[in-house]
Each structure stands twice: as C-alpha cells, then as structure tokens.
Amino acid sequence: MRLAVIGDTHLGAKWGTAREGDSFEQAEEALRRAVREGADLILLLGDLFDSRTPRPEVWTRAMRIFTLPRVEKGGLRLVGVMGKDEGEISPLSLQGVPVVALHGNHESRTEGLKNPVEVLEAAGMLIHLHRETVIFEGEDGRVAVHGMSYVPERYARSLLQTWDPRPVEGALNVLMLHQSLGQFVFSREERPGLSPEDLPPGFDLYLCGHVHCRAEASLRGRPLLFPGSTERTQLLPEEAQLRKGFYLVEEDGYRFVELETPRDFFYEEVEAGGKDVLTLQREIRERVEALLSKERRNRSKPPLIRLKLKGRLARGKKSDLDPFSLEEEFSDRALLVVSREELSSSSEPEGGEWLRRMEETATIEERTLRLLEEQLSQLGYSFGLEARSLYHLLLEGKEEEVEEKVRAYVRRMVELELEGGR
C-alpha cells in the first residue's frame, strides 16, 4: 500500500500579490503527482487554506484541485470508523483515491462553526478527522488513519490523552497531527504543548503538519515525518535550503518527492556595520544581481529573494533606506524582500528583541493573538474565557456574542467573589 503525505498547502496565501497563484499551482502539482506515483491514499496534514473563511475565488480554485483524486481509479474501501459519525462521510469522498485531511490553526474556528475542511467533507471532496479514526481495506491489507486536528498548544497534551487513540490490530496504523512537537516548531515564539514522547506507542507511522520546513525523525523505531508546507510563507534561511514536496510511504520505507513548480528562493544577510546608506544600497543591488546569475531550478517564475540587513549604519538613518524602491527596481526579474528589522543607526534606537521575535510569526492575526495571550498570562489570567475563541468570534464580526460572553464571565467572577466573602 502506498500513502502520499502532503503538508500545509495554504491555498489563498499571498492573495493580491504576484504570488497569489503559487499556492494553488504547488498544491495541484502535489495531488497530481501523488496520483501519478500510484498513491492508494492521500493524507493532508492541515492548513489546506490560508484563511478560516476563504474568499469565493479561493474556493473556486480549491474545489477544482480537490476533485482531481476523485476521477482516478482507486482500490480502497472504507471498512470502519472510530469516534466519527459515518453519516458525515459522503459516498463521493470514497470514489477514486480517498483523501483524509486534518484542519490546521489557519482553519480553526470557534466551537459550533464549520471550518473550511469540514465544508470540503460535506461536498464529498475528502474525509475530515478530529480525534477520530477511519479504516480502509484494499488488496494489500488494511490501513487505520487516526487524526487529531489542530488544538491550542496548551490543551494539546490533555486532549490527546483524553482521546487516547489505540492501534487497530491487523492494520498499518498512522497517527496524524497538526501541532508543534518538541523541538519541531513553526516559529521560536511557540511553546509546544506536546513532545514526541507524548505520542502514544504502537503506531507504524507518525505524521505532523504545521511545521513548514521538512524534517525526519524516529520515534520508538518508527518514522516521524514532517513534510513541510508546499508554499513558502516565512522566508526563513531554512526554506532556502530545503526543497518543497511531499512524502510517499510504502511498506519498505519512504521517499521525498520534490515539486517542480515552487519559485527558487534565495536568502542572504547583509552586514551594514560601518557603511552609509548609499554604500549599503549599492551592495544590495550587487547582491541581487549576483543571486539572479545563479543556477535556478525554475526559470519560468521570477525567484524570491530575501535580504536581511543587520548592524549599525555609520552614517544616515535607517529610515533613509527605502526597501520598497529597491523591491520595485527589480520587480520585473525578482520578488525582492528587504528586511530592516535588525538594522539601526547611531541616530535611532536599535530594534529590540521583541521585533526580532515577532518577525518569525507569519501573520498579523497570529502576532496579535500571541501578544494577547502573553499579556493575559502575565496578568495571571488562566481560566474562564478562552482568548483564541473570543478572537475568532471578533474576526467573524460577532461582537455582540463576545460582549455577552465577557458579561457572563464577569457576573460569574463577581458571584464567586461574593461567595468567598461569606
């Protein structure tokens, strides 16, 4: 039996920019090649979408992509479920090559609201798992796929323990997650709620999404695989070193299949110490020209180039260096990003550790939420209202519902205070 394991596709990422089509092209290539490579089952590890409420244009392109496995010839049949209502599984999702998916943090919505992956399940595009198991059978035997979709990190260990998945006897048992896991994190800002040792024993294969850079490890003698995202979202040094792709897993091992559609990505750091603004600008132009002359894998698209400026200018101010004009200058040949977060001058204060840490976070939404949670933690806030749930309601325009939840929480706190004083 052959499994295709695909990480975060982030459909709709960078919408409205020159990169808005990249996530779709890379996801489509991954699914087409998985089918072409003879995959019996396709596993998607969460963050299929970049937003929990995708725009119609994103939905249109996504639906076309997820129909691809439906029209192929498949050889598996569903023979069992555990923890899941079988009525949620559309017969359409069992046609062709089955797709089993998690939802990730980008798709997570507050309790009672459907997320985009659940919508795809209702449309018959895939089977969605959240602390549930599905069992398939084919000519080569059985495979049991156990999946826990994203949960806030601080609840991950307790929810995994409560779920307590157990291997199915006589089957290849796969455990899928979308979390940070010990040293394997999306960013240094995250505080993982799980370590690999927290995962239950007895599984043949452990898979994890959320982490955007590919990694391979071993847990109790079994593979622990992080396929990484198919789309570059963070533009970190590691993403310039590792190819994008997906895993094919077979009985005798696994291999990584590299995608051909991703843009080439170059990352370099430029030391500004002892230079003035004009000298630094000249060096930036020289660096970009040198990178553009390098051998490339995909010449059909302008490459991504990120230059991170570091150090203290000898003369001039940080604000005198306009990254946007430099980026525009090369816009016909490269998608250039000039980062000034660690650049300073004698006439301006150096960027603090806060800015450097926040740079590692992918979205404004996540930055805001993490700052909120950090501030609440410093105030000793530990129960009552779940910050992430309230934040998601606000994003969805449900201000009245948030206000009512806050009022109810305050009333309860007052009641407890009064009871304690009696």
Side-chain angles (χ1 to χ4, degrees):
M1 190 174 297
R2 184 173 293 178
L3 312 179
V5 182
I6 302 174
D8 307 23
T9 53
H10 284 280
L11 297 176
K14 308 303 177 184
W15 191 264
T17 75
R19 295 173 57 192
E20 73 176 20
D22 290 4
S23 62
F24 301 101
E25 293 170 11
Q26 285 143 212
E28 180 174 345
E29 183 191 357
L31 284 171
R32 285 189 183 278
R33 293 188 65 182
V35 171
R36 194 165 71 230
E37 293 275 359
D40 300 294
L41 181 63
I42 297 174
L43 307 178
L44 304 178
L45 303 184
D47 280 356
L48 282 63
F49 294 91
D50 197 57
S51 165
R52 61 181 55 84
T53 53
R55 63 180 67 231
E57 294 81 5
V58 172
W59 272 117
T60 302
R61 298 189 68 171
M63 298 289 266
R64 292 195 181 109
I65 291 171
F66 290 119
T67 58
L68 295 174
R70 301 279 72 74
V71 299
E72 301 296 330
K73 183 178 180 180
L76 295 183
R77 62 183 183 278
L78 184 71
V79 295
V81 299
M82 298 167 60
K84 185 174 182 67
D85 180 358
E86 195 165 347
E88 295 176 350
I89 302 175
S90 167
L92 292 174
S93 66
L94 301 177
Q95 295 178 5
V97 179
V99 177
V100 179
L102 307 177
H103 71 260
N105 53 302
H106 277 249
E107 294 133 342
S108 180
R109 301 186 73 194
T110 193
E111 187 176 355
L113 299 178
K114 295 298 182 183
N115 67 59
V117 183
E118 291 175 298
V119 174
L120 287 176
E121 179 177 56
M125 301 289 177
L126 49 76
I127 298 172
H128 168 249
L129 296 182
H130 183 41
R131 298 199 293 167
E132 298 159 332
T133 300
V134 288
I135 306 167
F136 291 95
E137 186 173 70
E139 292 181 359
D140 298 319
R142 290 191 170 195
V143 56
V145 182
H146 313 252
M148 184 173 87
S149 290
Y150 172 79
V151 297
E153 293 292 345
R154 60 182 173 279
Y155 304 132
R157 181 180 285 108
S158 62
L159 288 174
L160 179 61
Q161 291 173 347
T162 302
W163 176 34
D164 191 25
R166 305 288 180 89
V168 174
E169 188 174 353
L172 173 73
N173 284 275
V174 181
L175 180 63
M176 300 166 42
L177 301 169
H178 185 98
Q179 304 288 151
S180 288
L181 203 58
Q183 70 190 73
F184 304 101
V185 296
F186 169 75
S187 84
R188 290 177 295 176
E189 274 298 285
E190 289 192 319
R191 302 178 180 88
L194 288 172
S195 67
E197 291 72 25
D198 292 319
L199 302 185
F203 290 83
D204 301 292
L205 179 64
Y206 297 88
L207 305 173
C208 193
H210 188 53
V211 178
H212 282 196
C213 292
R214 172 167 57 96
E216 301 170 2
S218 178
L219 179 63
R220 304 184 188 97
R222 301 296 184 180
L224 169 59
L225 303 181
F226 302 81
S229 60
T230 55
E231 166 67 354
R232 291 189 175 93
T233 61
Q234 296 172 285
L235 303 189
L236 297 176
E238 296 82 359
E239 288 195 293
Q241 298 166 4
L242 297 172
R243 300 289 189 187
K244 294 298 185 180
F246 63 95
Y247 282 106
L248 276 176
V249 181
E250 300 178 86
E251 185 177 353
D252 58 350
Y254 57 85
R255 61 186 173 93
F256 189 74
V257 180
E258 295 183 359
L259 298 179
E260 298 175 355
T261 50
R263 297 176 189 271
D264 293 288
F265 173 45
F266 301 107
Y267 174 99
E268 285 195 0
E269 296 183 353
V270 181
E271 180 56 52
K275 300 168 186 172
D276 58 30
V277 172
L278 290 177
T279 302
L280 183 57
Q281 288 176 329
R282 184 166 58 250
E283 182 173 344
I284 289 171
R285 292 186 176 95
E286 292 171 354
R287 290 284 192 102
V288 174
E289 292 291 355
L291 291 171
L292 287 172
S293 68
K294 281 191 170 184
E295 183 179 349
R296 302 222 308 265
R297 183 183 176 92
N298 183 358
R299 288 196 169 272
S300 66
K301 298 178 182 178
L304 276 165
I305 298 176
R306 182 185 177 193
L307 297 182
K308 186 173 185 177
L309 311 183
K310 303 180 68 174
R312 184 180 287 264
L313 289 166
R315 289 185 303 279
K317 296 184 295 184
K318 171 180 175 178
S319 56
D320 292 336
L321 192 147
D322 180 10
F324 303 109
S325 62
L326 289 165
E327 292 165 7
E328 179 62 27
E329 182 179 331
F330 289 95
S331 60
D332 61 333
R333 294 190 290 157
L335 303 183
L336 175 63
V337 178
V338 180
S339 303
R340 301 183 303 172
E341 288 81 5
E342 295 190 26
L343 179 67
S344 64
S345 69
S346 56
S347 59
E348 296 171 322
E350 291 193 59
E353 180 63 23
W354 180 82
L355 281 176
R356 289 193 289 274
R357 291 188 293 115
M358 291 307 291
E359 181 190 359
E360 303 296 330
T361 309
T363 65
I364 293 294
E365 178 181 317
E366 284 296 320
R367 295 179 194 184
T368 304
L369 184 53
R370 288 176 188 172
L371 283 172
L372 174 61
E373 291 177 331
E374 185 175 336
Q375 291 298 316
L376 290 174
S377 176
Q378 291 176 3
L379 291 172
Y381 177 96
S382 60
F383 63 93
L385 295 170
E386 208 279 292
R388 186 173 291 267
S389 175
L390 294 184
Y391 188 66
H392 290 170
L393 286 172
L394 288 171
L395 288 175
E396 292 157 5
K398 300 180 181 293
E399 291 87 354
E400 292 182 1
E401 187 173 343
V402 171
E403 182 178 355
E404 179 54 38
K405 286 181 177 290
V406 172
R407 290 181 183 277
Y409 171 73
V410 171
R411 286 196 297 269
R412 179 57 179 155
M413 292 300 97
V414 171
E415 291 171 0
L416 290 174
E417 186 71 21
L418 290 174
E419 290 174 2
R422 289 174 185 170

